[in-house]
Amino acid sequence: MEVDKLFKSLTYVPKIWTALSYPLLVLVSLILFFGRNVEPIRIGSFLEVMPDFYSHISNFSLSFILYISIGYVGIMFGLTVKNITIIGIGIVSVNLIIEFLLPFLNTPDTSDALFGTIGVILGFAFLFLSKNYGLKKNEL
């Protein structure tokens, strides 16, 4: 019965395209992430354009999945676009701090920081579209 209580506490529920696109985007991001170590799932055209693509994709995937996961649940509970933007800025800021200000945790790398930022920007696009067009009022 706790699940019923959780569903009733949601302000919004996703429309079918939103509910299907979220796990699909997570899956694509995970395929890119695991392409670092699993050669058969690598996308060759990415390597033709940028040979070290898979060296940086982890920052993209982690930032993207973290952001859309927090944001997806958040918008169903009523987070605003402003709230989503603040969360995205926070994730980009942490990424930049780790990449440039904490060299004992990570080798400073501009490409990693860029990939993480792109992950947040694409995540914001998904969350913005979902917030504005992909939700309906919860009728439970």
Side-chain angles (χ1 to χ4, degrees):
M1 293 306 154
E2 291 296 319
V3 174
D4 286 343
K5 192 175 183 179
L6 176 65
F7 283 122
K8 288 179 182 177
S9 67
L10 294 175
T11 307
Y12 301 98
V13 293
K15 294 179 180 175
I16 190 72
W17 72 265
T18 311
L20 293 174
S21 62
Y22 170 74
L24 180 65
L25 289 170
V26 170
L27 178 64
V28 168
S29 189
L30 286 171
I31 289 169
L32 289 171
F33 180 82
F34 288 116
R36 295 174 15 206
N37 299 319
V38 182
E39 213 167 306
I41 63 172
R42 289 184 180 175
I43 300 168
S45 56
F46 289 157
L47 294 172
E48 291 172 13
V49 175
M50 186 177 190
D52 60 345
F53 175 82
Y54 284 99
S55 299
H56 308 292
I57 199 63
S58 60
N59 276 43
F60 169 86
S61 294
L62 293 173
S63 296
F64 182 77
I65 292 171
L66 177 67
Y67 187 39
I68 69 167
S69 296
I70 292 169
Y72 185 71
V73 172
I75 61 174
M76 287 189 280
F77 278 105
L79 284 183
T80 65
V81 172
K82 181 179 178 182
N83 299 136
I84 294 167
T85 303
I86 291 168
I87 293 167
I89 290 169
I91 293 172
V92 168
S93 298
V94 168
N95 186 28
L96 294 174
I97 288 168
I98 290 171
E99 284 303 327
F100 297 119
L101 300 178
L102 300 175
F104 59 90
L105 289 177
N106 190 23
T107 304
D109 189 343
T110 305
S111 295
D112 277 351
L114 179 62
F115 270 63
T117 302
I118 291 169
V120 170
I121 291 168
L122 291 178
F124 178 81
F126 168 72
L127 293 171
F128 182 82
L129 291 171
S130 296
K131 174 69 178 167
N132 289 309
Y133 307 106
L135 300 175
K136 55 187 176 185
K137 195 79 170 148
N138 188 359
E139 312 251 339
L140 292 178

